[in-house]
């Protein structure tokens, strides 16, 4: 993850996001990006996420390039009624796949009238903790994942902008 954030920081393939509602490419999502967010273009996404498996379709970065917000549409099946089941089941998956999970919180949220499973977890790093937040919901019967990743202190510094962005997400 550190490599991904470094690649996101180093890449010069960024452009300012517009404040009007936008549809995110082929994703069934619209949102209102904040003028304080940058958008990583396709070449930047490929550079930051070299593996096709798990490569997000859309990525925003905070102005300081310290926190990323990635949107990914996965092939797995999920209905809106199954979202609460994720909250009960997915923490075990996170603990099995992510080494040294220090804290983990799981909740169901409503964003734009849609139920989302929220997982916030931290792992130790030198000098700070890495904070990752996964938001997962059903979109056209598939799993839509929003991943917010950065160090705890960088997230805290950018929290208002990040919350405004995630609060504006609408599944079409």
């Amino acid at each position: 993850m550190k490599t991904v954030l470094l690649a996101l920081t180093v890449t010069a393939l960024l452009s300012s996001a517009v404040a009007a509602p936008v549809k995110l490419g082929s994703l069934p999502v619209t949102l209102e990006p904040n003028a304080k967010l940058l958008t990583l273009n396709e070449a930047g996404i490929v550079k930051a996420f070299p593996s096709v498996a798990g490569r997000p379709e859309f990525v925003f970065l905070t102005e300081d390039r310290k926190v990323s917000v990635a949107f990914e549409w996965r092939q797995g099946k999920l209905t809106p009624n199954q979202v609460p089941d994720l909250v009960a089941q997915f923490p075990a998956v996170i603990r099995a796949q992510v080494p040294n999970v220090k804290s983990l919180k799981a909740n169901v949220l409503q964003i734009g009238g849609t139920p989302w499973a929220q997982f916030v977890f931290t792992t130790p790093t030198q000098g700070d903790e890495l904070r990752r937040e996964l938001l997962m919901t059903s979109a056209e019967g598939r799993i839509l994942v929003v991943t917010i990743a950065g160090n705890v202190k960088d997230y805290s510094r950018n929290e208002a902008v990040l919350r405004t962005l995630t609060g504006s997400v609408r599944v079409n």
Side-chain angles (χ1 to χ4, degrees):
M1 190 56 175
K2 209 173 190 180
T3 304
V4 169
L5 288 175
L6 179 61
L8 292 172
T9 301
V10 172
T11 186
L13 304 170
L14 301 168
S15 63
S16 293
V18 295
V22 295
K23 182 170 181 335
L24 297 185
S26 66
L27 295 173
V29 172
T30 54
L31 53 73
E32 296 179 21
N34 186 298
K36 292 189 176 200
L37 290 170
L38 305 170
T39 304
L40 197 59
N41 67 20
E42 188 175 343
I45 292 171
V46 169
K47 184 175 181 177
F49 300 89
S51 172
V52 174
R55 180 182 295 151
E57 293 188 40
F58 211 90
V59 178
F60 288 103
L61 295 174
T62 54
E63 256 184 335
D64 61 6
R65 297 175 174 88
K66 301 281 185 175
V67 183
S68 64
V69 182
F71 290 78
E72 177 187 351
W73 205 12
R74 295 190 183 165
Q75 291 298 321
K77 304 291 183 202
L78 183 70
T79 67
N81 292 339
Q82 292 173 314
V83 170
D85 297 337
L86 282 177
V87 173
Q89 299 168 359
F90 205 67
V93 174
I94 292 171
R95 289 192 185 281
Q97 293 182 352
V98 179
N100 302 318
V101 171
K102 185 173 177 183
S103 68
L104 173 60
K105 296 177 186 173
N107 299 296
V108 175
L109 304 174
Q110 289 287 324
I111 302 173
T114 301
W116 290 78
Q118 177 194 42
F119 307 96
V120 178
F121 56 100
T122 61
T123 54
T125 62
Q126 288 185 336
D128 196 2
E129 293 178 351
L130 178 62
R131 180 194 187 277
R132 282 181 265 187
E133 179 175 351
L134 300 176
L135 297 167
M136 303 169 85
T137 195
S138 173
E140 298 180 8
R142 291 171 54 188
I143 302 170
L144 176 65
V145 181
V146 178
T147 304
I148 304 168
N151 287 331
V152 170
K153 67 180 178 184
D154 297 324
Y155 175 84
S156 295
R157 190 171 40 249
N158 291 288
E159 185 172 6
V161 171
L162 296 164
R163 287 289 149 230
T164 298
L165 176 71
T166 57
S168 76
V169 172
R170 301 294 178 260
V171 176
N172 304 328

